[in-house]
Amino acid sequence: MAHEIIMPALGMAQETGRLVAWLKNEGDAVSKGDPLMEVETDKSTMEVEAQKDGFLVNITAQANTDVPVGDVVALIVESLDDAPPRPSPSSPSPEATEIAATTSDIVPKTPSLPAEQSASLPKIQANEKIARKPVQPALVSNQADGKILASPKLRALAASENLDLSNLRNAGHPEPFKAADLFALRQLSNQSHGSLRSTATSLIEKNSFHIFVSEISAFNTEVSIEVIFASFIAASLRQYSGDDIIGISYKSGKMLESVLYLNPDQHQLADIVVSDSDIPVMAEICDLTSTDFIHLSGDTHSDIIFTISNLADQFMITLDWQPNKLPQSDALALLSDFSMRVKSPLKQLL
Amino acid sequence: MREITFGAAVNEAIAEEMRLDNRIILLGEDVAEAGTPFKVLSGLVEEFGADRIIDTPISEPGFTGIAVGAAMTGLRPIVDLMFGDFLFLIMDQLCNQAAKTHYMSGGKLSVPMVVRTNMGATRRSAAQHSQSLHALVAHIPGLKVAMPSSAYEAKGLMKTAIRDNNPVVIFEDKLMYNDKAGVPEEEYLINFGEANILKAGTDISLIATSSMVQQAQLAAKSLAERNISAEVIDPRTIAPLDEDTLINSVKKTSHAIVIDEGHQNYGVTAEIAARISEKAFYYLDAPVQRLGAMDVPIPFSPALEDLTVPTAQQIHDRAVMMLEGKI
């Protein structure tokens, strides 16, 4: 039967003991009275002796760890065949690890330790660090977790102009932010407040589009101009975004009420219906063709906004976009693509 | 303007003041015939006699105590402390007595005494003759501390120290005694508590004392080659400290390095950096940097000793790192 070796209590109010070193290896033959391990408490270091003859197996506590008093740290068995199977190399309990970490630089009180296990090595290294520290500047780290790193000067300047430093972090500027980053911060803040948007406008003859609508209507009385625009814009967006799901918010009518369309370009025009699902909106369409307005601004949240209005015999199509989300070249390509579809709608059917 | 050495400037200041005021005496070890180990006081005993230039036994506490008593009773003694390291021997006379007598006597007594001593490493004098202990003195209320950075400063500050009615400790860098600078023939004084802006600049403030002023000036030159405009400021006295000049400079430049040859821990660099952080915090664009003597006993080994003292190159490198946003 296996004999348990436990962490002994060497002091009155002792909760853990430090296993300094094993003096025998796993599988070694031991005789009663052989020193097995060295244990240190806050007052002394002592050797724990074998109480029986046999073989040392199942070492579950490693050298240089703190072990709760009473815990089994190994077994002595009569023959190696009796050794119980080991599930996996055991690691010290979290509590013991914590204690080990806080006491790891305590100098051992007896000089009897084997050199390679001497706890005095980390102590010497720690002292070296302390001695060198004052002559080394504290370098800023590149990691940007948690609190934003910014100089007091930039903080004061940003506060006086009501600018949000998180704009710099979101734009990927390296931290800490300094006064020199103020210009970039102003630019970014302007953009996120929406006052720095870009627009482009095209004018398209209505002629072909009207012919197209009347021909479609000859087959399907249900098809509205609205779904045609939504379908065309979704097709254009799909070409430039590569996204599978294209949600479009469509404002139209005298009251400019808003509805949602989901992938309108993937349905027959007659089958396009308003979606009630909670999809992200990729673009807004502001259809002013049934109003007297040619332009409407403000009240917009999307990165991409198409405004369509009447100008005599032409459609005026304005694209309004966030330059930091959509490069100008992409925006202009998007507007050209949609304009081309409105100009030659029959090509869409082919 | 004529150029004279730092040592000659100190000698001139003491001689001029002794001619003006016969209450002034000077006492210390090897000050008369020997003229001190650095030959700074050569010729004084010939002019003023052994009654006023007094060679004492080797007992710093003894002759400093004599000087404190003499000052309280009407003389104006100058104590020559051969090495700044010997300050530890006169702490009671200086800090408990001289610094507090005016206060403890309800203003009835004062101690118009000057302790002239030295500082500075890299002279291969080892750990007990190389320390820069001015911060210890500046810590004590009631003591003034002057730190001349050139021959011109040495003369003007010494004359002001001698005329002050309170105890003043003046620290001379023992490696600068042979350095020459322009010193006018005509009389001048340098007021305590008025920092000197040696070079105006806009990008970074280099605040340096004593021997480190030269290093800061060299660094400012090499920084200028990189289009960095450094302002070099010498506080001249660390007690009293001209805080306004330092703070205004940092408000302008938003960057500061404080350089001093005392140990960095709890030293002059720490005090000045703290004051900048307190009073110019919202103007700072980088943490205030400190360059002091390494916190080790000063080694005798020349190779090691040189590593313990801040250099122009270190100041330059630190400034570049700060302005490149690496600190």
Side-chain angles (χ1 to χ4, degrees):
Chain A
M1 187 186 149
H3 171 77
E4 292 180 340
I5 301 163
I6 61 164
M7 174 58 68
L10 301 173
M12 290 286 280
Q14 182 190 340
E15 289 176 357
T16 63
R18 184 166 185 77
L19 203 169
V20 178
W22 282 102
L23 305 173
K24 296 282 183 189
N25 294 319
E26 174 96 27
D28 281 0
V30 297
S31 310
K32 185 175 176 184
D34 279 357
L36 293 179
M37 60 178 180
E38 206 164 359
V39 175
E40 181 189 314
T41 69
D42 49 357
K43 287 207 181 73
S44 62
T45 303
M46 63 164 277
E47 288 172 353
V48 174
E49 295 174 355
Q51 302 295 312
K52 291 189 95 165
D53 296 342
F55 295 90
L56 182 68
V57 295
N58 267 51
I59 293 179
T60 53
Q62 304 306 310
N64 281 319
T65 56
D66 287 272
V67 181
V69 166
D71 272 19
V72 176
V73 294
L75 301 175
I76 293 176
V77 291
E78 285 174 8
S79 112
L80 281 176
D81 299 335
D82 299 341
R86 307 190 58 176
S88 66
S90 118
S91 57
S93 69
E95 188 193 8
T97 312
E98 196 181 315
I99 295 163
T102 57
T103 57
S104 61
D105 57 356
I106 288 173
V107 182
K109 289 163 189 72
T110 59
S112 64
L113 296 179
E116 69 274 16
Q117 281 158 344
S118 165
S120 64
L121 276 175
K123 176 77 174 176
I124 291 163
Q125 283 160 358
N127 277 342
E128 262 176 17
K129 266 184 219 152
I130 290 161
R132 279 187 204 149
K133 207 171 167 187
V135 294
Q136 295 296 334
L139 293 179
V140 295
S141 68
N142 290 326
Q143 63 194 45
D145 47 19
K147 190 173 160 65
I148 290 174
L149 302 179
S151 79
K153 184 179 188 181
L154 180 65
R155 282 188 193 280
L157 291 169
S160 71
E161 297 185 25
N162 232 345
L163 302 174
D164 184 357
L165 290 171
S166 60
N167 286 326
L168 281 172
R169 170 173 285 183
N170 295 339
H173 275 252
E175 295 180 35
F177 308 133
K178 306 279 180 114
D181 296 317
L182 183 65
F183 182 73
L185 177 59
R186 282 188 187 129
Q187 295 249 318
L188 288 166
S189 303
N190 280 339
Q191 284 172 21
S192 62
H193 286 137
S195 60
L196 250 191
R197 293 179 70 100
S198 300
T199 57
T201 303
S202 65
L203 287 173
I204 306 295
E205 291 292 332
K206 287 180 178 175
N207 214 0
S208 316
F209 190 78
H210 278 318
I211 294 167
F212 175 74
V213 172
S214 56
E215 288 190 5
I216 292 279
S217 300
F219 295 96
N220 294 294
T221 49
E222 296 296 314
V223 175
S224 65
I225 292 179
E226 185 176 317
V227 298
I228 299 171
F229 279 145
S231 168
F232 285 4
I233 284 176
S236 297
L237 283 169
R238 195 173 300 281
Q239 232 170 314
Y240 292 96
S241 79
D243 281 12
D244 289 332
I245 297 169
I246 293 183
I248 288 177
S249 162
Y250 203 108
K251 272 191 225 170
S252 62
K254 297 268 184 217
M255 304 303 293
L256 291 175
E257 279 162 3
S258 189
V259 295
L260 270 179
Y261 289 107
L262 174 59
N263 296 329
D265 58 328
Q266 295 181 337
H267 300 278
Q268 293 291 327
L269 289 174
D271 299 332
I272 296 172
V273 290
V274 169
S275 165
D276 55 4
S277 60
D278 190 13
I279 48 167
V281 172
M282 182 180 285
E284 259 180 61
I285 300 172
C286 182
D287 181 353
L288 301 175
T289 52
S290 43
T291 70
D292 293 325
F293 308 130
I294 61 163
H295 182 64
L296 178 71
S297 70
D299 189 29
T300 51
H301 309 289
S302 289
D303 295 332
I304 300 170
I305 301 155
F306 281 94
T307 305
I308 306 164
S309 52
N310 300 313
L311 197 70
D313 294 324
Q314 294 173 312
F315 287 121
M316 185 167 95
I317 304 167
T318 300
L319 175 60
D320 174 332
W321 76 95
Q322 280 278 14
N324 57 340
K325 299 278 174 60
L326 186 69
Q328 190 183 57
S329 54
D330 284 10
L332 295 181
L334 184 60
L335 179 60
S336 304
D337 191 81
F338 175 61
S339 301
M340 192 52 65
R341 289 172 200 268
V342 177
K343 197 173 184 177
S344 318
L346 281 168
K347 280 188 183 164
Q348 301 309 306
L349 295 182
L350 306 172
Chain B
M1 195 193 299
R2 64 171 182 149
E3 291 208 334
I4 61 172
T5 65
F6 190 112
V10 173
N11 186 304
E12 234 177 57
I14 293 170
E16 282 179 18
E17 292 303 304
M18 288 185 78
R19 283 174 208 133
L20 290 172
D21 187 341
N22 60 16
R23 293 172 300 172
I24 299 170
I25 60 163
L26 188 149
L27 67 173
E29 295 155 7
D30 284 344
V31 295
E33 276 75 20
T36 79
F38 302 99
K39 304 297 168 204
V40 172
L41 303 182
S42 297
L44 292 185
V45 71
E46 285 78 6
E47 179 175 354
F48 300 103
D51 287 347
R52 293 181 70 190
I53 306 290
I54 304 165
D55 264 339
T56 65
I58 303 176
S59 173
E60 286 80 4
F63 65 75
T64 307
I66 289 170
V68 175
M72 286 161 63
T73 51
L75 294 183
R76 300 181 76 85
I78 301 170
V79 173
D80 187 292
L81 197 63
M82 192 184 286
F83 281 90
D85 310 71
F86 304 161
L87 270 167
F88 291 117
L89 289 161
I90 64 162
M91 277 301 181
D92 185 66
Q93 288 73 14
L94 186 66
C95 301
N96 267 338
Q97 311 306 330
K100 296 176 175 66
T101 295
H102 189 69
Y103 179 79
M104 295 296 287
S105 67
K108 287 182 180 162
L109 295 172
S110 48
V111 183
M113 174 180 84
V114 176
V115 176
R116 68 167 287 265
T117 188
N118 54 39
M119 54 170 279
T122 68
R123 193 172 162 271
R124 320 308 178 212
S125 304
Q128 294 151 322
H129 293 78
S130 303
Q131 298 170 89
S132 300
L133 300 173
H134 45 287
L136 288 177
V137 182
H139 187 64
I140 305 300
L143 298 176
K144 297 180 182 178
V145 179
M147 303 185 70
S149 60
S150 70
Y152 176 87
E153 299 285 319
K155 184 172 180 187
L157 289 170
M158 178 59 81
K159 287 172 74 85
T160 304
I162 293 171
R163 293 184 192 189
D164 202 294
N165 284 331
N166 297 292
V168 176
V169 183
I170 188 157
F171 285 86
E172 299 160 3
D173 179 6
K174 53 175 115 50
L175 281 103
M176 285 170 61
Y177 281 130
N178 291 322
D179 290 0
K180 286 189 173 181
V183 176
E185 308 257 7
E186 58 273 21
E187 179 171 284
Y188 66 95
L189 298 172
I190 295 174
N191 290 338
F192 283 6
E194 283 182 17
N196 183 24
I197 302 176
L198 289 107
K199 177 185 171 301
T202 53
D203 297 334
I204 186 165
S205 304
L206 305 178
I207 299 164
T209 61
S210 182
S211 52
M212 294 297 109
V213 173
Q214 286 181 1
Q215 301 301 315
Q217 285 181 294
L218 288 172
K221 260 187 205 159
S222 62
L223 287 168
E225 288 164 16
R226 294 185 59 134
N227 284 328
I228 294 172
S229 162
E231 182 149 300
V232 180
I233 305 180
D234 172 12
R236 287 174 161 158
T237 55
I238 55 169
L241 181 68
D242 181 2
E243 201 175 79
D244 289 350
T245 298
L246 307 184
I247 298 297
N248 287 337
S249 172
V250 175
K251 282 183 177 176
K252 181 175 67 174
T253 63
S254 299
H255 300 86
I257 305 178
V258 191
I259 313 112
D260 175 81
E261 210 183 321
H263 290 302
Q264 188 162 293
N265 281 355
Y266 302 95
V268 168
T269 58
E271 175 65 26
I272 293 178
R275 297 215 202 178
I276 292 169
S277 299
E278 283 166 358
K279 303 204 169 157
F281 184 77
Y282 294 104
Y283 297 85
L284 288 174
D285 210 17
V288 179
Q289 295 295 297
R290 302 192 284 143
L291 290 170
M294 200 181 281
D295 292 304
V296 294
I298 294 162
F300 171 72
S301 153
L304 292 178
E305 184 181 24
D306 290 349
L307 290 176
T308 66
V309 179
T311 60
Q313 186 62 45
Q314 285 173 14
I315 300 167
H316 173 101
D317 293 347
R318 194 65 68 91
V320 169
M321 285 172 86
M322 284 177 89
L323 291 163
E324 285 181 350
K326 289 177 186 159
I327 294 175

